[in-house]
Amino acid sequence: MGGVNTGASTAERAPKQDRSRATRQRLLEAAVACLAEHGWTGSTVAVVAERAGVSRGAAQHHFPTREDLFTAAVEYVAEERSTALRALFPQGAADDRRAVVSALVDLYTGPLFRAALHLWVAASNEDQLRPRVTELEARVGRETHRIAVDLLAADESHPGTRETVQGLLDMARGLGLANLLTDDKARRERVVTQWAALLDEVLDSAP
Amino acid sequence: MGGVNTGASTAERAPKQDRSRATRQRLLEAAVACLAEHGWTGSTVAVVAERAGVSRGAAQHHFPTREDLFTAAVEYVAEERSTALRALFPQGAADDRRAVVSALVDLYTGPLFRAALHLWVAASNEDQLRPRVTELEARVGRETHRIAVDLLAADESHPGTRETVQGLLDMARGLGLANLLTDDKARRERVVTQWAALLDEVLDSAP
């Protein structure tokens, strides 16, 4: 990508690689949307390929198994969302903790969380899926924790601070769950306001 | 049950009612276990009837539809757990908030939460199930909130206290979700310890 042009064959290859990347990306985005809307049972490689406007063969070339496609999809979208979250607070350590808590909680509402939840729940009953999803969740969880610590300017060398941040992310996940069947936005905003205030006190009063 | 015996017909009816109640209870318990182990897709009235050792016809007499059986089952077990939780702290307002937070969080680990989660996630994609589960969750959620307020001796007339307790229950739900694929007990206990300490400060320092 963007290297020195060493002749016609590279010039031809580059657009082909771009197309391949674009196809892959369309498949990943379609997979998350499909999972969020139809759940694990209704999500197959064929359904996703059709939704992405990609042939079944091309989809299977990129993702040999259903597990490959859907775990890659949730990871891809989670990375996109992490990048977007960091971009929201370019200064890093934030002076507005209410905004940071609100943005963290937003990670757990919307299509990505719905998709991840379907994958998670399916994995709890399917031996083939469980190790893949367990490993994925651990990785995404660690990254989200790192972002939260940075954006909240939390000093994890203080005893208890690590668990305070973890509990906050557990709360965010629980708020996401509460939003699954009904629009829980009004209540969620009140909880976010209250806990952001508590967090502000706790993180700044650490010895 | 336990009334004055008004003759042979009542004496005969009572054991029959007892049997019917016992059958119903076996079905409800089998339904929750089945949902927790096999998820919504693997849970049918027939599978539950077999597990409970009840004829298919008897099961359908008690619960005409699959939705009837599984929503009743989750509600029944949730009520059992609420009663057990109150019994753990017979004095009501507790002096040991760590123990109360821990017991509240325990509501969201184990088979009942797994079963409820499967039902919840299935309801998000199934129009027939959604209104039933939404209504059930609201009812169970209100009752759990009431118990939490009582056991924590939280004074909801103080601004923010209601949201503090709500956030705690959201956290408990999120901790349950984190426990779905891996045994998260060690981390959970550390989070419970930290948040119980925060809660202690917050609830007692309310003006």
Side-chain angles (χ1 to χ4, degrees):
Chain A
M1 193 167 87
V4 177
N5 188 335
T6 55
S9 72
T10 307
E12 277 157 21
R13 211 180 299 125
K16 203 178 154 195
Q17 283 175 355
D18 284 351
R19 275 201 306 280
S20 174
R21 204 167 15 239
T23 298
R24 190 184 148 86
Q25 194 168 323
R26 275 215 309 284
L27 284 167
L28 294 171
E29 281 162 3
V32 163
C34 184
L35 203 48
E37 278 171 39
H38 306 298
W40 176 247
T41 314
S43 295
T44 61
V45 176
V47 167
V48 171
E50 199 188 327
R51 184 175 189 133
V54 168
S55 77
R56 177 92 188 255
Q60 260 162 350
H61 165 74
H62 283 280
F63 303 101
T65 71
R66 190 182 175 207
E67 286 78 18
D68 292 333
L69 171 59
F70 288 97
T71 52
V74 166
E75 176 153 32
Y76 169 76
V77 178
E79 277 169 8
E80 295 272 295
R81 295 221 54 188
S82 294
T83 306
L85 178 56
R86 286 208 186 264
L88 270 183
F89 303 96
Q91 283 87 325
D95 39 355
D96 183 357
R97 286 217 179 92
R98 167 76 174 72
V100 172
V101 172
S102 180
L104 285 168
V105 167
D106 281 350
L107 286 180
Y108 299 90
T109 55
L112 169 62
F113 179 70
R114 293 176 91 89
L117 190 59
H118 280 296
L119 199 64
W120 220 341
V121 168
S124 77
N125 297 106
E126 289 196 21
D127 291 339
Q128 227 175 333
L129 198 53
R130 194 182 305 116
R132 303 280 298 265
V133 176
T134 303
E135 199 263 333
L136 167 66
E137 282 303 326
R139 214 151 7 103
V140 172
R142 275 193 300 271
E143 174 60 10
T144 309
H145 185 89
R146 253 193 303 273
I147 297 179
V149 166
D150 287 353
L151 297 187
L152 292 167
D155 181 353
E156 289 205 306
S157 69
H158 289 145
T161 296
R162 186 174 173 73
E163 288 73 22
T164 299
V165 174
Q166 286 184 343
L168 176 73
L169 292 175
D170 288 309
M171 192 191 74
R173 212 183 292 122
L175 284 166
L177 203 47
N179 197 54
L180 191 64
L181 296 184
T182 49
D183 180 359
D184 191 43
K185 193 166 193 289
R187 184 188 77 93
R188 186 168 65 247
E189 301 225 317
R190 289 193 297 272
V191 171
V192 163
T193 299
Q194 172 68 3
W195 277 97
L198 297 183
L199 213 62
D200 236 357
E201 255 178 74
V202 169
L203 292 180
D204 292 337
S205 75
Chain B
M1 196 166 84
V4 177
N5 190 334
T6 56
S9 73
T10 307
E12 277 157 24
R13 212 179 299 124
K16 202 178 157 194
Q17 282 175 355
D18 285 350
R19 273 200 308 278
S20 173
R21 203 169 16 240
T23 298
R24 190 185 148 86
Q25 194 168 324
R26 274 214 310 284
L27 284 167
L28 294 171
E29 281 162 4
V32 163
C34 184
L35 202 47
E37 278 171 38
H38 306 297
W40 176 248
T41 314
S43 296
T44 61
V45 177
V47 166
V48 171
E50 200 189 325
R51 186 177 189 130
V54 169
S55 76
R56 178 91 187 255
Q60 259 160 352
H61 165 75
H62 283 279
F63 303 102
T65 72
R66 189 181 175 207
E67 288 76 18
D68 291 334
L69 172 59
F70 288 97
T71 52
V74 166
E75 177 152 31
Y76 169 75
V77 178
E79 277 168 7
E80 294 273 293
R81 296 220 53 186
S82 294
T83 306
L85 178 56
R86 285 207 187 264
L88 270 183
F89 302 97
Q91 284 86 326
D95 38 356
D96 183 357
R97 285 216 179 93
R98 167 76 174 72
V100 172
V101 173
S102 181
L104 285 168
V105 167
D106 281 351
L107 286 181
Y108 299 89
T109 56
L112 170 63
F113 180 70
R114 293 176 91 88
L117 190 60
H118 280 295
L119 198 65
W120 220 341
V121 167
S124 77
N125 298 107
E126 288 195 22
D127 291 339
Q128 226 175 333
L129 199 53
R130 194 181 306 115
R132 303 282 296 266
V133 176
T134 303
E135 198 263 332
L136 168 65
E137 283 303 326
R139 214 148 11 101
V140 173
R142 273 193 302 271
E143 173 61 8
T144 308
H145 185 90
R146 250 193 306 271
I147 296 178
V149 165
D150 287 353
L151 297 187
L152 292 167
D155 181 353
E156 289 204 308
S157 69
H158 289 146
T161 296
R162 186 174 172 73
E163 288 73 22
T164 298
V165 175
Q166 286 184 344
L168 176 74
L169 292 174
D170 287 311
M171 190 194 76
R173 213 184 290 121
L175 284 167
L177 202 47
N179 198 54
L180 191 65
L181 297 182
T182 49
D183 179 359
D184 192 42
K185 192 166 193 290
R187 185 189 77 92
R188 185 168 66 247
E189 300 226 317
R190 289 193 298 271
V191 171
V192 163
T193 299
Q194 172 67 4
W195 277 61
L198 297 184
L199 212 64
D200 236 356
E201 255 177 74
V202 168
L203 292 180
D204 291 338
S205 75

